[in-house]
């Protein structure tokens, strides 16, 4: 199992220090880079990839090293530079080469290396052996159908390298299978980016074999990919975890805006964050670690630069107030849409602010162009990491339908759905949005109410698609 190696330095890795680090394998190694320069690969003269080096990030956001590397990580005081290096398991010299790259950076710039004990400055001899080339980001196995990545760190985040691999697998019509020991957790942004099939989180079963870290299905390697083998669930996935009082509150909402020069993205996310926590997000970025101080104007500049292509973003809260969000900004036929998935962690069920959801929905309707919002609660870890074992399912709490769809369906019909609790109007009385209470986050029957509501609204002419 290969190790990622990370250099955390108080000084910027400038050109001279990076060149000194990249010469850890001698001057005969070659460099290749992604189109955007976010990831550099160190390869042999024959094109064999050895290590990938992500572009150094200046991390302004407090708590990111602790969130992703463990609370004991001795990171420099923010802001500091985060340089992440990954070794290929196809070459035995790659892992010491990664340690030498990071060791040379910390020797020149100060700081520390994670994991502890991996840093050194010795030149690594790379044999001149023909192993073939690989026109693909560094992965641990590559077949016609699947790219396999082996990883072992406490928390796996959505790094720039992972984003690069996900793009490459999609473009080559392959699946990405991430293989980890059972002690590894994923961040919610990486879980979201992996999506569903054909991508998988493959976990090594302590009893032998492998299982799917999201569904628990037993897996086997056949025909160049991991696939279910017998239709059963692994005991390690279904083993009853210690009872937890922890809860996660998730808001999945969408806003649509008329394009214009004054349009600023991220304000709806900030409004929701403030409403539920009393403060705005601490930082944002396009990957993890999240490195930039929260700024809707800078976020908007990036989205405009990337248009008409969509922009994917991650936002985090303060270390003592667990919250994380993913946001997608994209042009649609209806205007410019922001799709947000915001999750907050709580150590006790009574701390979940269910009584604030209706007033938040009203704010998003009247000030931010809300079209839909689904809120759910689940019994899951307050630190917002995802372990490879069964957790409580999300249970619906409420659904909000924006005024545009209410008008399309007709207020008399949308306002009288065949569910127990009737909706509450929000916003302008002549053209209101509707907020549908569904439960308190403890009753699985709330799913029945949500499915009934969704079917009713769709057959009534609504364009809304309900999703958890």
């Amino acid at each position: 199992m290969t190790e990622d190696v990370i250099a955390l330095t108080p000084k910027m890795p400038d050109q001279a220090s990076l060149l000194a680090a990249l010469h850890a394998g001698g001057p005969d190694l070659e460099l290749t880079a992604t189109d955007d320069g976010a990831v550099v690969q160190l390869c042999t003269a024959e094109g064999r990839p050895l290590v990938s080096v992500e572009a150094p990030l200046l991390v302004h956001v407090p708590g990111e090293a602790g969130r992703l590397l463990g609370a004991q990580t001795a990171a420099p005081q923010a802001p500091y530079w985060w340089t992440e290096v990954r070794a290929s398991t196809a070459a035995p010299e790659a892992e010491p080469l990664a340690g030498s790259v990071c060791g040379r950076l910390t020797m020149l710039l100060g700081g520390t290396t994670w994991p502890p004990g991996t840093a050194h400055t010795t030149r690594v001899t790379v044999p001149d052996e023909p192993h073939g080339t690989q026109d693909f980001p560094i992965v641990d196995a590559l077949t016609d159908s699947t790219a396999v990545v082996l990883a072992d760190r406490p928390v796996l985040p959505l790094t720039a390298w992972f984003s690069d691999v996900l793009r490459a697998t999609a473009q080559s019509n392959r699946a990405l299978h991430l293989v980890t020991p059972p002690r590894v957790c994923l961040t919610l942004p990486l879980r979201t980016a992996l999506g569903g099939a054909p991508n998988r989180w493959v976990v090594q079963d302590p009893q032998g074999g492998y299982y799917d870290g999201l569904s628990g299905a037993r897996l086997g390697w056949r025909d160049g990919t991991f696939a279910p083998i017998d239709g059963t669930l692994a005991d390690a996935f279904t083993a009853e975890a210690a009872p937890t009082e922890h809860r996660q509150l998730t808001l999945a909402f969408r806003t649509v805006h008329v394009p214009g020069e004054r349009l600023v993205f991220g304000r709806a996310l900030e409004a929701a964050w403030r409403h539920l926590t009393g403060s705005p997000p601490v930082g944002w970025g396009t990957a993890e670690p999240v490195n930039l101080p929260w700024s809707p104007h800078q976020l908007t500049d990036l989205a405009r630069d990337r248009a008409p292509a969509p922009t994917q973003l991650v936002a985090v809260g303060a270390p003592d107030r667990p919250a994380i969000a993913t946001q997608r900004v994209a042009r649609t036929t209806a205007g410019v849409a922001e799709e947000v998935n915001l999750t907050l962690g709580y150590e006790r069920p009574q701390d979940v602010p269910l009584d604030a959801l209706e007033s938040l929905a009203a704010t998003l309707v009247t000030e931010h162009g809300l079209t839909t919002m689904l809120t759910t609660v689940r019994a899951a870890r307050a630190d917002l990491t995802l372990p490879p074992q069964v957790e409580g399912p999300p249970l619906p709490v409420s659904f909000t339908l924006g005024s545009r769809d209410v008008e399309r369906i007709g207020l008399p019909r949308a306002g009288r759905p065949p569910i127990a609790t009737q909706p509450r109007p929000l916003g302008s009385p002549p053209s209101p949005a509707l907020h549908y209470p569904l439960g308190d986050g403890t009753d699985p029957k709330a799913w029945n109410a949500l499915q009934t509501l969704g079917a009713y609204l769709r057959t009534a002419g609504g364009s809304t698609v309900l999703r958890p």
Side-chain angles (χ1 to χ4, degrees):
M1 188 70 66
T2 212
E3 281 188 335
D4 298 339
V5 186
I6 302 168
L8 307 173
T9 60
K11 297 180 181 179
M12 181 181 71
D14 56 10
Q15 184 176 14
S17 58
L18 283 172
L19 285 174
L22 293 173
H23 273 79
D28 294 333
L29 299 184
E30 296 184 353
L31 299 177
T32 63
T34 56
D35 292 340
D36 59 3
V39 180
V40 173
Q41 288 193 158
L42 193 58
C43 308
T44 66
E46 296 80 20
R48 178 169 54 116
L50 297 171
V51 300
S52 66
V53 183
E54 295 188 20
L57 285 176
L58 180 60
V59 177
H60 293 268
V61 181
E64 281 297 270
R67 181 175 75 90
L68 300 178
L69 304 179
Q72 293 74 34
T73 302
Q77 184 175 355
Y80 58 88
W81 292 87
W82 181 304
T83 306
E84 187 146 344
V85 182
R86 188 178 196 277
S88 168
T89 56
E93 61 274 11
E95 190 169 330
L97 180 59
S100 184
V101 169
C102 288
R104 291 174 177 226
L105 286 176
T106 54
M107 179 191 69
L108 294 170
L109 305 172
T112 187
T113 300
W114 183 95
T118 55
H120 63 93
T121 58
T122 305
R123 176 176 169 177
V124 178
T125 301
V126 179
D128 186 14
E129 299 176 357
H131 288 261
T133 63
Q134 179 176 298
D135 186 20
F136 203 86
I138 288 178
V139 294
D140 298 292
L142 188 66
T143 71
D144 291 341
S145 65
T146 306
V148 178
V149 171
L150 308 180
D152 184 5
R153 54 199 278 184
V155 178
L156 277 177
L158 179 61
T159 64
W161 176 83
F162 260 119
S163 297
D164 187 37
V165 173
L166 283 165
R167 283 192 296 268
T169 53
Q171 291 169 359
S172 64
N173 199 28
R174 289 182 172 95
L176 173 61
H177 287 184
L178 173 61
V179 183
T180 75
R183 60 179 172 270
V184 172
C185 294
L186 306 187
T187 65
L188 293 182
L190 179 56
R191 165 65 184 95
T192 301
L194 278 177
N199 297 334
R200 286 189 187 277
W201 179 17
V202 181
V203 181
Q204 295 171 324
D205 193 331
Q207 299 179 3
Y210 301 89
Y211 67 93
D212 189 299
L214 301 178
S215 70
R218 294 184 185 277
L219 303 174
W221 179 259
R222 61 188 182 192
D223 299 327
T225 193
F226 285 98
I229 54 176
D230 58 11
T232 63
L233 302 183
D235 292 339
F237 181 80
T238 58
E240 185 175 354
T244 177
E245 293 291 294
H246 291 192
R247 293 292 183 270
Q248 291 180 6
L249 171 66
T250 298
L251 297 84
F253 63 89
R254 187 173 190 264
T255 63
V256 176
H257 315 278
V258 176
E261 293 184 359
R262 295 187 177 182
L263 179 59
V264 177
F265 303 122
R267 285 180 170 171
L269 174 58
E270 179 175 330
W273 214 297
R274 287 184 181 275
H275 198 91
L276 297 173
T277 71
S279 59
V282 172
W284 74 282
T286 57
E288 296 176 283
V290 173
N291 65 311
L292 299 171
W294 176 249
S295 171
H297 288 282
Q298 291 182 0
L299 184 159
T300 301
D301 290 342
L302 176 66
R304 290 186 187 278
D305 289 343
R306 292 187 172 184
T311 297
Q312 304 274 1
L313 306 167
V314 180
V316 295
D320 60 348
R321 175 58 287 201
I324 194 164
T326 56
Q327 175 166 326
R328 185 176 188 269
V329 180
R331 292 187 178 182
T332 69
T333 56
V336 183
E338 295 181 88
E339 296 181 355
V340 175
N341 197 297
L342 168 61
T343 301
L344 304 97
Y346 302 90
E347 294 187 352
R348 302 181 304 168
Q350 59 266 36
D351 294 335
V352 182
L354 297 181
D355 56 353
L357 296 179
E358 183 174 340
S359 58
L360 169 59
T363 297
L364 296 177
V365 164
T366 57
E367 299 179 15
H368 300 285
L370 181 75
T371 61
T372 60
M373 181 169 71
L374 175 64
T375 61
T376 59
V377 171
R378 66 192 301 241
R381 297 169 62 147
D383 66 3
L384 306 182
T385 60
L386 181 70
Q389 64 182 124
V390 65
E391 290 189 304
L395 299 176
V397 173
S398 63
F399 177 72
T400 306
L401 184 65
S403 58
R404 184 186 63 182
D405 277 329
V406 171
E407 183 176 359
R408 181 182 293 114
I409 296 169
L411 180 58
R413 183 172 177 84
R416 295 183 177 87
I419 59 177
T421 305
Q422 294 304 291
R424 297 162 187 164
L426 304 175
S428 170
S431 182
L434 292 176
H435 181 74
Y436 301 85
L438 299 171
D440 62 359
T442 63
D443 187 0
K445 293 180 180 179
W447 277 116
N448 297 332
L450 180 63
Q451 292 169 353
T452 299
L453 174 63
Y456 176 79
L457 294 176
R458 284 190 292 269
T459 57
S463 61
T464 302
V465 177
L466 304 182
R467 58 182 183 272

